[in-house]
Amino acid sequence: MLKKMAWSLTSFQKMRSLRFEHTNKTIGFILFLTLISLLPTFFFMTLTIVNGYHIATTELPKSVSSFSISNSQLTSSHPFTKKVNGTAFILNSSQSIDQFHSPAHAIGFLKDGIYITTNSQTQTYSYDLLNWHHKDKNELLNLLHEQKSSLYILVPIAMLLLYVLTSGLNFLSITCLAYLGKLIGIITKKQLPFKQLWALSAYSTVALTLVYALFEAFSLSLAAYTSLYWVGTVFIYLILITGLPARKKAKPTKASFS
């Protein structure tokens, strides 16, 4: 896997040779690449949840005199913000999820729900969704303490769901790119089996996927990343396709004239 990843970064010729490998190997590589790209996200997700939980259970009870949820809406005596190890915990009943802009790594209880932000990517959960319609301060704190053991289950499940979703999106984008290769093959008269085009499209995504992982690892955000990803990946794919030898036409045999 690592050797093929290195080839995808250093040699177009070796990348082209990978089009002959079995489809199962290409699928395995995509799953491996997806896992590598998500490692920074998994790390910061775990760090954010653990730090946020620690603040909520230790600092929140003594820093905010009263807070509660009534009719799925949060009320509190005053806003509260605490940052530990790069993770911010925020309690603010005056702002809704749609209005609030959180730090890069944060967990917050807002007027209408909870948000979790990891590397500037936010997931939100309304109190209705959590079935928290009416909870006072003690009930909320007891609920958080009871959920401690569940974190060992919920965090891996969240990671697994993210991995499955990301893998599915990667397979979809690779398939779309392969159909583009089919069109290019018709235009350039270098038609290849769809299986080979699909393999080439898979390895075309390596460089930009690793760039994304690098940005995630250093908590850097790139607003135009999606555009950059597609432009860079299509450019690499075009180089691979146009560099392939044209298929030779079969010469007619003497038997065909008899």
Side-chain angles (χ1 to χ4, degrees):
M1 295 290 188
L2 293 175
K3 182 170 68 174
K4 289 192 287 187
M5 189 178 292
W7 286 358
S8 300
L9 297 172
T10 58
S11 174
F12 286 115
Q13 183 177 355
K14 290 182 178 179
M15 286 175 72
R16 293 187 186 103
S17 69
L18 292 171
R19 72 184 187 275
F20 298 112
E21 74 174 5
H22 196 279
T23 304
N24 288 344
K25 291 186 177 181
T26 308
I27 292 173
F29 179 81
I30 296 169
L31 295 174
F32 174 73
L33 181 65
T34 303
L35 178 62
I36 293 296
S37 68
L38 287 176
L39 287 179
T41 301
F42 289 162
F43 172 77
F44 286 116
M45 179 189 293
T46 304
L47 196 65
T48 300
I49 293 174
V50 170
N51 287 335
Y53 179 83
H54 174 73
I55 298 170
T57 54
T58 58
E59 300 292 333
L60 188 59
K62 57 187 179 183
S63 300
V64 182
S65 58
S66 66
F67 57 90
S68 63
I69 295 174
S70 179
N71 296 321
S72 303
Q73 299 284 313
L74 176 70
T75 57
S76 63
S77 56
H78 61 272
F80 169 76
T81 300
K82 179 77 174 181
K83 193 170 184 179
V84 174
N85 297 328
T87 298
F89 181 90
I90 300 165
L91 186 143
N92 191 332
S93 61
S94 63
Q95 288 187 298
S96 65
I97 292 174
D98 295 334
Q99 300 171 336
F100 196 76
H101 297 285
S102 66
H105 306 287
I107 291 181
F109 283 66
L110 299 181
K111 180 180 179 180
D112 51 353
I114 296 173
Y115 71 88
I116 301 175
T117 299
T118 304
N119 274 2
S120 302
Q121 298 179 11
T122 302
Q123 297 177 348
T124 60
Y125 307 89
S126 68
Y127 296 126
D128 274 329
L129 179 65
L130 297 172
N131 200 27
W132 292 4
H133 304 297
H134 299 278
K135 302 284 183 183
D136 60 25
K137 177 180 178 179
N138 291 330
E139 288 176 328
L140 283 171
L141 291 176
N142 289 335
L143 185 62
L144 288 175
H145 283 291
E146 290 171 2
Q147 296 302 315
K148 182 176 182 179
S149 58
S150 300
L151 292 178
Y152 299 105
I153 300 173
L154 295 176
V155 173
I157 289 176
M159 291 180 179
L160 179 61
L161 291 175
L162 178 61
Y163 176 69
V164 171
L165 176 62
T166 306
S167 298
L169 291 174
N170 285 344
F171 280 113
L172 180 62
S173 63
I174 288 167
T175 302
C176 291
L177 198 58
Y179 278 112
L180 175 63
K182 199 72 175 175
L183 178 62
I184 295 171
I186 294 173
I187 296 172
T188 60
K189 298 181 179 180
K190 294 181 180 180
Q191 298 185 48
L192 293 173
F194 187 78
K195 167 186 169 297
Q196 295 185 18
L197 291 170
W198 196 81
L200 289 175
S201 65
Y203 290 103
S204 299
T205 65
V206 174
L208 275 297
T209 300
L210 293 180
V211 168
Y212 167 79
L214 191 64
F215 271 74
E216 286 286 293
F218 290 96
S219 298
L220 301 174
S221 60
L222 187 61
Y225 172 77
T226 302
S227 300
L228 175 64
Y229 174 86
W230 279 108
V231 170
T233 299
V234 171
F235 178 73
I236 294 171
Y237 192 52
L238 287 174
I239 292 177
L240 289 175
I241 296 295
T242 55
L244 290 170
R247 298 180 68 179
K248 295 181 179 180
K249 293 183 178 180
K251 293 181 179 181
T253 61
K254 291 182 180 180
S256 63
F257 295 100
S258 58

